[in-house]
Amino acid sequence: MIPASELLINPNGTVFHLHLHPEQLTDHIILVGDPGRVNMVAEHFDTRTFDVASREFHSIGGTLDGRPIMCLSHGIGPDNIDIVINELDALANIDFATREIKPTHRSLNMVRIGTSGALQPELILGTSVVAQRSIGFDGVLNYYEGRDRVADLEFERAFCHHVGWNPTWAHPYVVASHEGLVEHIAGDDMVLGQTLTAVGFYGPQGRKLRLPLANPDLNERIETFRWHGQPITNYEMESAPLQGLSRLLGHRAMTVCSIIANRVCQDATPNYRTAMADLVETVVKRLITANF
């Protein structure tokens, strides 16, 4: 039995942070960072069955073409992903009445839609990039047993050697997204990339405002790294722990981001809503037809 200190359940029977009941969980889940973006996604639903908000975690559930679907906001950063994936898995695979793991495992399909900064000059603003592999700078996965079983250790070693990884930072980990989900969602109109998950927005992504950087040439080294001829394509802040924790827990997950800045060309646009709206519509329509 899982103790109350490890799995916190609210007095109304919902999971601690997300405030969702087990019966509200759907197999198809769209994840977004911005709580305000949940309504944008839910506009594509045919019906709405619940709307729950707590802190940065906003959830709307409903149906599309007769199939249950939900959208959940996770806020910013890999630490929030640790909360979201563990609590979604608890809703799916732990009996809240007995606090025991259910005998039959339930797998979820999760697609994160986000924004990102490109690290290669050919990735123009508005490009949709799928994180076929994610390189986590956050260290979240290193706290879980089985980390090496789902990570690409050869890739990790080559990457650390090439960039001269700073030993004071968390050791990076490399995790692939679910291959079947990527094939189903990406189609032939999205770029398949290798995405970096940073632990912060400024210094951890090589941005310098008033504070000098410990390794100011890190991005330049990253840009020249190739793994079997493939470059590192973009920066964001959630894909690696999403894909890593999902693999450990037996779920299917991936991330697709719209490029809103190019770090090499030093170009950016804050007016990315049209591209994001188009990406949301595409992903929702494709996810609901997944038959995993």
Side-chain angles (χ1 to χ4, degrees):
M1 189 174 75
I2 299 172
S5 61
E6 310 305 290
L7 174 61
L8 281 72
I9 300 174
N10 297 315
N12 65 353
T14 60
V15 72
F16 186 60
H17 293 93
L18 304 185
H19 283 245
L20 292 174
H21 291 278
E23 59 269 22
Q24 291 175 316
L25 183 69
T26 65
D27 290 339
H28 293 325
I29 304 170
I30 299 286
L31 297 170
V32 295
D34 183 358
R37 198 172 292 154
V38 175
N39 270 300
M40 177 197 294
V41 175
E43 286 175 0
H44 298 281
F45 299 173
D46 295 329
T47 65
R48 297 191 186 194
T49 53
F50 65 84
D51 188 330
V52 177
S54 175
R55 302 185 186 183
E56 61 266 61
F57 308 114
H58 180 200
S59 305
I60 294 179
T63 62
L64 177 59
D65 296 336
R67 304 184 69 179
I69 189 171
M70 63 181 285
C71 181
L72 165 66
S73 64
H74 51 68
I76 298 176
D79 50 338
N80 278 8
I81 295 298
D82 182 64
I83 291 172
V84 168
I85 300 306
N86 274 290
E87 292 198 359
L88 287 176
D89 180 75
L91 290 166
N93 292 303
I94 297 175
D95 187 319
F96 276 29
T98 64
R99 294 183 168 273
E100 295 177 342
I101 297 173
K102 295 178 180 179
T104 302
H105 180 267
R106 178 182 178 186
S107 293
L108 307 174
N109 300 315
M110 295 177 281
V111 180
R112 191 183 93 75
I113 305 174
T115 55
S116 183
L119 287 168
Q120 301 299 327
E122 67 272 15
L123 292 175
I124 62 173
L125 303 183
T127 301
S128 297
V129 178
V130 170
Q132 194 171 26
R133 292 187 190 87
S134 292
I135 305 97
F137 287 3
D138 51 277
V140 166
L141 206 65
N142 299 340
Y143 290 89
Y144 292 93
E145 182 181 348
R147 171 247 196 251
D148 287 359
R149 175 170 51 82
V150 300
D152 188 332
L153 304 182
E154 188 178 351
F155 188 124
E156 290 176 15
R157 286 191 289 268
F159 178 82
C160 290
H161 176 75
H162 182 87
V163 303
W165 189 254
N166 190 324
T168 65
W169 300 339
H171 190 80
Y173 58 94
V174 180
V175 184
S177 54
H178 186 271
E179 295 83 355
L181 196 56
V182 166
E183 182 179 359
H184 187 78
I185 298 295
D188 57 4
D189 54 356
M190 298 181 186
V191 173
L192 300 181
Q194 301 185 107
T195 297
L196 291 177
T197 295
V199 73
F201 184 79
Y202 290 97
Q205 294 188 39
R207 289 185 172 91
K208 179 183 175 183
L209 301 183
R210 290 204 316 115
L211 288 174
L213 302 175
N215 292 69
D217 63 342
L218 177 62
N219 280 358
E220 295 176 8
R221 297 185 185 189
I222 290 170
E223 291 158 20
T224 61
F225 176 74
R226 296 292 184 275
W227 180 246
H228 298 303
Q230 296 181 320
I232 304 297
T233 49
N234 57 312
Y235 260 127
E236 53 81 79
M237 296 178 63
E238 292 89 14
S239 66
L242 167 63
Q243 292 166 195
L245 291 171
S246 294
R247 281 196 173 273
L248 287 176
L249 290 164
H251 303 296
R252 294 171 285 269
M254 59 167 283
T255 291
V256 56
C257 288
S258 180
I259 298 298
I260 66 169
N262 191 299
R263 304 298 302 283
V264 180
C265 304
Q266 297 186 324
D267 191 15
T269 175
N271 301 315
Y272 53 85
R273 289 172 179 79
T274 299
M276 178 58 68
D278 291 342
L279 179 58
V280 164
E281 182 177 9
T282 298
V283 171
V284 171
K285 287 182 177 179
R286 291 178 184 176
L287 178 61
I288 201 63
T289 63
N291 290 310
F292 300 110

